[in-house]
Amino acid sequence: IYGSRFSLFVGCVVVAGALVVGIIVGLLAGFFGGWFDTLVMRVMDIILAFPSLLLALALVAILGPSLTNAMIAIAIVQQPHYVRLTRAAVMAEKQRDYVTAARVVGASPLRLMVVTILPNSLSPLIV
């Protein structure tokens, strides 16, 4: 049990890092759309095209052998799942009436993303 705390710490840091970066990138891609969305989703498709373990090993080989680099590599490999999930939720929420009402009232794009859309898009990510 004492030895598992280090493994749990690494797992929690990897998931938290992938989740935070994935939410930010997915929120931006889903909100702005257009060429940025296409670019982000193609990069995520490229990451998903490689086997996870092979890509993580290649990233560790490029970054160098250390625990921090291994955690970064695993977070990068897991990130596309969160990006795709966040993007889909943001695109669904962006079409709702309360977002249109907030836009008409004059909310800035940052406020629309962070205050209006993001809290309502988090339910699939919490699961």
Side-chain angles (χ1 to χ4, degrees), residues 1-7:
I1 291 173
Y2 183 76
S4 68
R5 65 188 177 106
F6 192 67
S7 298

Side-chain angles (χ1 to χ4, degrees), residues 13-14 27-28 38 48 60 65-66 69 75 83 88-89 91-92 101 115 119 121 126:
V13 168
V14 165
L27 180 65
L28 292 172
T38 304
L48 285 172
V60 168
S66 76
N69 291 341
V83 171
M91 290 176 72
V115 175
S121 301
I126 293 171

Side-chain angles (χ1 to χ4, degrees), residues 21-88:
V21 173
I23 286 174
I24 292 169
V25 173
L27 180 65
L28 292 172
F31 186 79
F32 291 115
W35 66 269
F36 182 72
D37 179 38
T38 304
L39 177 70
V40 167
M41 294 317 294
R42 292 305 76 93
V43 170
M44 295 304 132
D45 288 341
I46 290 170
I47 293 173
L48 285 172
F50 293 101
S52 300
L53 185 60
L54 181 65
L55 184 59
L57 286 173
L59 288 172
V60 168
I62 292 169
L63 296 173
S66 76
L67 181 63
T68 305
N69 291 341
M71 289 172 27
I72 291 169
I74 296 170
I76 289 172
V77 168
Q78 295 300 317
Q79 178 186 350
H81 303 290
Y82 297 112
V83 171
R84 293 174 74 87
L85 194 60
T86 305
R87 176 184 169 267

